[in-house]
Amino acid sequence: MKRILTGVKPTGIAHLGNYFGAIKPAIELSKNSDYECYYFIADYHALTTVQNQEELFEYTYHIACTWLACGLDPNKVVLYKQSDVPQTFELSTILSNFTPKGLMNRAHAYKAKVEANEEAGEDKDYGINMGLYCYPILMTADILLLGADFVPVGIDQKQHIEIARDVASYFNRKYGNTFSLPEELISENVGALVGLDGRKMSKSYGNVIPIFADEAKLKKLVNRIVTDSTAPDEPKSLDNTIYKLYKLFGTEEQAKAFAQKLQKGISWGEAKAELFNLMNAYLSPMREKYNYLQQHREIVDEILRNGAQKARELAKQTIKNVRKAIGVVEVE
Ligand code: ADP
Ligand code: TRP
């Protein structure tokens, strides 16, 4: 059985881009019985930017409830928090010795910050903490610790998986085959979902539709979607955000019928009302489940507790092998 692992950072409110680009595909994968899935909340990864107690706490529950409300079945997927698997941090310390510093200098997230600093005339490392600099090592530890074969991620994370593979190879070459080499799984057909303003939906653009926005908020956001100035009865091009979203939520038939209406000419107001109804019907049960779980966090705690226990079992075995490989004396 192949092992699949992925992590989500608790750094903000999950939006439809996250849902269609990352959460839904990972949940679909977990329905395939050829795979054993480990999905986790990367809370120590979030600490590079989320340095407020209440925020980290709330975002962590938010991500856990999001996975579950979007349909993750805890009997099929081991759902856990990174911080509950302390072996991660031991492995990260060990692996830092097998990670060339130059590789970290070239990691995209760090490089982008350095370039921004240079452009702004600041010291090149201004505002950069070691958590950000060593982020790829911690991520490598997450992946190698549980022996992941495949890691589903967005294209922005591809380099991190390559780094994990490189570090695993350096280690294996020195100490013999200890780690399996992970491969990234990038869903090609899910392009970037567009946001309210027509750009990629992203929290950094402030153009997002949160997955669990309440009905009134959802309606308001749908009404804010930018459209062109085609008059109400004129035919509409299908290259617009309303139709793109409609296609994601509707069946093929529904999308076809909607396309015909747009091409015949319905007003943007009517089109938005139809989109809202469709989205709301899709999202309402998920929203209800989300709200229920948020009000019953003991259910979430129990799932995370079980998940952590399973993840730790695997982790302990890996650490045992690694310690032995490098020559750590075991006295217990
Ligand atoms: P944001 O851009 O809002 O900060 P993140 O970087 O936290 O989002 O996204 C986490 C994951 O969600 C990404 O790796 C990617 O797979 C997916 N994702 C985010 N935004 C989109 C989008 N607009 N379309 C498709 N997938 C997305
Ligand atoms: N770095 C990933 C992101 O920003 C989150 C993450 C942390 C992760 N550890 C991981 C993803 C391990 C896959 C595997 O989205």
Side-chain angles (χ1 to χ4, degrees):
M1 213 154 42
K2 292 288 181 193
R3 194 167 297 149
I4 302 212
L5 171 136
T6 197
V8 174
K9 275 186 303 182
T11 49
I13 298 298
H15 54 73
L16 293 179
N18 302 139
Y19 176 69
F20 285 105
I23 298 168
K24 188 167 176 258
I27 290 175
E28 291 301 321
L29 273 175
S30 72
K31 293 180 182 158
N32 184 330
S33 53
D34 295 337
Y35 300 135
E36 191 185 5
C37 297
Y38 288 79
Y39 297 169
F40 71 98
I41 301 156
D43 45 359
Y44 279 147
H45 277 289
L47 203 51
T48 61
T49 54
V50 181
Q51 301 188 340
N52 170 295
Q53 180 195 58
E54 198 183 325
E55 275 184 20
L56 185 64
F57 190 87
E58 289 303 322
Y59 285 152
T60 300
Y61 273 113
H62 170 70
I63 296 299
C65 294
T66 297
W67 274 116
L68 294 164
C70 290
L72 178 144
D73 175 355
N75 296 313
K76 290 212 175 89
V77 177
V78 177
L79 181 68
Y80 64 100
K81 273 187 299 118
Q82 181 186 40
S83 55
D84 287 332
V85 186
Q87 291 83 357
T88 310
F89 314 108
E90 179 172 350
L91 186 58
S92 183
T93 297
I94 297 170
L95 293 177
S96 65
N97 300 286
F98 303 94
T99 308
K101 178 167 176 285
L103 198 60
M104 298 299 93
N105 292 341
R106 291 191 295 276
H108 294 323
Y110 172 69
K111 229 172 93 181
K113 289 246 170 184
V114 168
E115 278 164 13
N117 278 338
E118 281 169 347
E119 238 164 70
E122 296 283 358
D123 179 82
K124 81 180 179 58
D125 282 326
Y126 176 75
I128 298 177
N129 58 49
M130 287 304 288
L132 175 78
Y133 188 65
C134 299
Y135 188 106
I137 307 179
L138 183 56
M139 189 159 157
T140 297
D142 296 328
I143 296 169
L144 302 187
L145 185 68
L146 297 206
D149 298 295
F150 296 112
V151 186
V153 283
I155 188 83
D156 58 314
Q157 296 295 312
K158 187 169 186 273
Q159 190 195 31
H160 287 147
I161 317 300
E162 288 163 356
I163 292 174
R165 208 157 48 227
D166 285 349
V167 174
S169 309
Y170 301 146
F171 190 97
N172 286 351
R173 234 172 284 151
K174 215 169 215 141
Y175 294 107
N177 231 347
T178 310
F179 297 118
S180 40
L181 302 185
E183 275 177 47
E184 63 274 14
L185 263 190
I186 295 173
S187 36
E188 303 290 350
N189 50 1
V190 188
L193 187 99
V194 287
L196 300 176
D197 56 0
R199 288 188 294 173
K200 175 187 173 212
M201 189 178 286
S202 169
K203 50 182 174 286
S204 30
Y205 294 149
N207 63 356
V208 307
I209 302 181
I211 308 175
F212 307 113
D214 66 39
E215 210 168 298
K217 179 89 200 274
L218 182 64
K219 190 175 251 171
K220 222 161 123 189
L221 290 172
V222 170
N223 284 327
R224 266 183 47 201
I225 294 173
V226 174
T227 50
D228 60 26
S229 54
T230 327
D233 50 358
E234 267 182 75
K236 312 281 181 293
S237 135
L238 294 185
D239 185 21
N240 65 74
T241 309
I242 309 278
Y243 181 63
K244 284 178 193 161
L245 284 173
Y246 197 98
K247 263 201 333 204
L248 284 170
F249 285 96
T251 61
E252 226 171 283
E253 263 161 38
Q254 283 174 313
K256 220 187 227 170
F258 190 60
Q260 278 168 0
K261 277 192 197 169
L262 286 171
Q263 283 164 331
K264 265 194 222 149
I266 56 168
S267 70
W268 284 124
E270 287 168 293
K272 284 180 174 180
E274 286 208 22
L275 173 64
F276 165 74
N277 288 334
L278 180 73
M279 283 171 76
N280 195 41
Y282 185 107
L283 296 171
S284 285
M286 289 160 56
R287 187 193 303 134
E288 265 171 41
K289 189 158 182 201
Y290 174 81
N291 289 336
Y292 181 83
L293 289 167
Q294 279 287 23
Q295 282 152 20
H296 295 84
R297 289 185 172 178
E298 67 285 357
I299 299 175
V300 182
D301 290 343
E302 185 58 20
I303 292 170
L304 293 175
R305 200 174 294 123
N306 284 332
Q309 214 167 14
K310 289 185 189 148
R312 278 196 302 262
E313 275 167 34
L314 268 184
K316 278 185 196 154
Q317 194 53 51
T318 308
I319 285 295
K320 204 170 169 188
N321 296 342
V322 172
R323 285 180 168 198
K324 187 162 179 232
I326 60 181
V328 166
V329 174
E330 294 267 10
V331 290
E332 283 182 19

